[in-house]
Amino acid sequence: MTANGVTVVGAGYVGLATAVSFAHLGHRVTCVEKDPARREALAAGRPPFLEDRMEELLTAGLRSGHLSFVAPETADYSGTGFVFLCLPTPQAPDGSADLSALFGAIEQIAPQLRPGSIVVDKSTVPVGTARTIIDQLDRPDVGVVSNPEFLQEGAAIDAFLRPDRLVIGADDPSAAQAVAALYAPLNAQVMVTGLASAELAKYACNSFLATKLSFVNAIAALCDLTGADVGEVTAVMGADRRIGTAFLRPGPGWGGSCFPKDTSALVATAARAGFDFGLLRATLASNRQSFDWVVSLAAELCDGRLEGRRVAAWGLTFKAGTDDLRDSPALEVIGRLQAAGASVVAHDPVVDRCAAVPTATDPYQAAVGADLLIVLTEWPVFATHDLRRVADVMSRPVVLDTRGLIDPAKARAAGLVYRAIGRAGGAPARVRAGDARSALGQPDRHRSPEPSGA
Ligand code: UGA
């Protein structure tokens, strides 16, 4: 490790995106990863998960010599300028964040750090953790900075290289400046805050977005009951600049490795601080209600009975553009369908096997003999499948599209009974197309392509 090199501890989504992107910016990066198989694959240029541009930047970094991977036992922190902590902070049984991996790393690195180096926390950690790191390090000659990440899986590299803002929480302005300098080539907006604010801001962002989604999904359920169309309603909402157009796509509920964990952790942090964050508890409950709502619509489409029904599920990942199944809404819904007695066969374009459900590698194969096809993940390819072929192989040609992906007119023309969440029988949006597009189509570069009419 060179004197001004960057060490990244942890080669998960955050760590790897950070490591390859810093190498891309010209820094010398050493990435510390404990899993030997993952380390070996990475050193051979093979990313452990599907992520846009990851392989390209990984191989470029290895080839240029700017990027290397080492085991924790052989990592030498004595020459590095910056140590980025990118370790998992999973949910503990009480809903709080489990910080054992983070503190384990601190214990290891504390005696090795050279004076003047800076420890940067990028893991999502409860407010107050940086202070605990300072205490545990017990190295007044080493800086501690909180630099939360706002990467979205599937667009992680792009989000790193073109961030909305960089958040740098620090007590010491010179440490904040040194960390900001690492990102200088990005010309990004830098927001320097206190340590606690940086930590809380990360949770505030994720929890706010989760709340926005719970709200939209509740509106979609209300649309189902009142005859309103969620595509029209969200177009009107999104045209209000105070609300904004992003994160208004209804779905089967939200999930992934971050929103559920971070929302629960903020509820737990608030409770410990003496505040009952009832709004967020409602956000979480509302998400469970969304999964249940989807299952009740599925039952309705199966004449009120899921027991003994064959259901084809398109989509397993928690969203499109990733192969991540962690806390996937698709799996939540599939689990509930199975619990109600349905036998489910799933198809996903990037997941061949899944412990929770039998899979078919072919979308039409999954639909053979099905009483219902349910679309659960917003993979754009699902909108391009041959719907006549789908209708032909199903036992009852009925589709429940929880992502509003499939064109209702095409589905009906193919002989399918089509129903989308919040669309009162799947009616296409009546908002004039041009207006709807300008209201919802303003490019949010992190988003998957907007489903038709939503
Ligand atoms: C989320 C945040 O968006 C990132 O800013 C944050 O950095 C990251 O967590 C993290 O904490 O590491 P991510 O988990 O990759 O990113 O997923 P999102 O793209 O936010 O999607 C989360 C869930 O919301 C998915 O299930 C997705 O399908 C759903 N979603 C999203 C909708 O149902 N509708 C939308 O309009 C947008």
Side-chain angles (χ1 to χ4, degrees):
M1 295 171 198
T2 58
N4 286 315
V6 171
T7 300
V8 176
V9 186
Y13 280 93
V14 176
L16 209 46
T18 303
V20 302
S21 300
F22 272 145
H24 177 71
L25 296 183
H27 300 301
R28 295 219 164 261
V29 182
T30 307
C31 185
V32 183
E33 168 56 42
K34 71 171 186 193
D35 178 348
R38 179 171 283 222
R39 222 168 40 233
E40 222 168 274
L42 285 166
R46 291 193 307 274
F49 41 73
L50 180 71
E51 185 59 55
D52 193 35
R53 296 196 65 197
M54 182 63 82
E55 190 168 346
E56 172 204 332
L57 264 61
L58 173 63
T59 45
L62 292 168
R63 212 171 292 138
S64 67
H66 280 90
L67 180 62
S68 59
F69 294 90
V70 299
E73 310 79 65
T74 54
D76 170 15
Y77 296 91
S78 61
T80 195
F82 302 87
V83 179
F84 279 78
L85 300 172
C86 303
L87 290 152
T89 53
Q91 192 173 326
D94 66 351
S96 66
D98 174 354
L99 301 177
S100 49
L102 192 77
F103 289 128
I106 299 284
E107 204 177 306
Q108 193 207 347
I109 65 175
Q112 292 189 39
L113 293 168
R114 75 169 169 79
S117 59
I118 299 174
V119 173
V120 187
D121 176 57
K122 246 190 188 309
S123 309
T124 301
V125 291
V127 61
T129 304
R131 293 260 162 254
T132 315
I133 292 176
I134 291 171
D135 290 347
Q136 203 191 336
L137 264 180
D138 198 19
R139 289 280 309 263
D141 56 337
V142 167
V144 173
V145 165
S146 168
N147 173 215
E149 60 78 25
F150 297 93
L151 313 175
Q152 276 183 283
E153 285 183 27
I157 308 277
D158 187 48
F160 189 101
L161 297 176
R162 296 196 301 136
D164 289 342
R165 71 308 203 192
L166 286 167
V167 178
I168 302 183
D171 284 344
D172 169 8
S174 66
Q177 223 169 9
V179 173
L182 291 173
Y183 293 95
L186 302 180
N187 285 321
Q189 179 193 186
V190 176
M191 303 180 82
V192 176
T193 69
L195 283 167
S197 302
E199 291 170 330
L200 189 55
K202 166 67 198 220
Y203 281 99
C205 289
N206 273 5
S207 300
F208 185 82
L209 290 171
T211 302
K212 195 173 182 185
L213 289 178
S214 276
F215 185 88
V216 165
N217 287 335
I219 290 291
L222 210 48
C223 287
D224 280 325
L225 294 170
T226 58
D229 183 285
V230 73
E232 295 178 346
V233 174
T234 53
V236 172
M237 288 171 70
D240 187 325
R241 272 169 296 185
R242 294 167 304 175
I243 296 174
T245 59
F247 274 67
L248 284 183
R249 280 174 300 147
W254 43 266
S257 66
C258 304
F259 281 1
K261 160 179 85 71
D262 294 350
T263 310
S264 297
L266 191 51
V267 170
T269 296
R272 264 201 307 273
F275 179 72
D276 175 15
F277 210 145
L279 174 64
L280 270 193
R281 284 193 290 102
T283 291
L284 285 158
S286 180
N287 201 36
R288 291 189 291 273
Q289 195 184 17
S290 293
F291 303 140
D292 292 337
W293 183 253
V294 170
V295 175
S296 71
L297 291 181
E300 192 184 307
L301 290 169
C302 288
D303 298 332
R305 184 175 60 85
L306 282 166
E307 177 82 49
R309 298 292 193 181
R310 255 275 289 118
V311 177
W314 280 0
L316 283 169
T317 57
F318 84 94
K319 64 174 183 180
T322 176
D323 54 3
D324 198 342
L325 294 173
R326 287 176 293 173
D327 274 316
S328 171
L331 290 174
E332 289 283 352
V333 170
I334 288 170
R336 282 164 170 75
L337 291 170
Q338 290 168 326
S343 86
V344 184
V345 176
H347 160 76
D348 187 282
V350 300
V351 178
D352 285 346
R353 267 168 207 216
C354 175
V357 59
T359 54
T361 47
D362 177 90
Y364 308 104
Q365 192 59 41
V368 170
D371 297 297
L372 175 72
L373 167 64
I374 182 165
V375 179
L376 291 169
T377 308
E378 69 274 39
W379 287 107
V381 70
F382 292 157
T384 68
H385 291 330
D386 180 346
L387 298 177
R388 272 184 212 286
R389 207 172 143 195
V390 172
D392 280 352
V393 297
M394 290 181 75
S395 154
R396 294 168 72 249
V398 184
V399 179
L400 174 56
D401 183 358
T402 71
R403 300 282 190 169
L405 259 182
I406 291 173
D407 181 337
K410 280 192 194 154
R412 294 206 184 93
L416 289 160
V417 173
Y418 177 82
R419 180 83 187 257
I421 297 274
R423 285 174 193 252
R430 281 178 300 267
V431 175
R432 277 190 298 126
D435 295 347
R437 240 170 256 135
S438 62
L440 282 172
Q442 296 309 315
D444 168 356
R445 66 183 184 286
H446 300 328
R447 271 202 297 177
S448 322
E450 201 64 50
S452 59

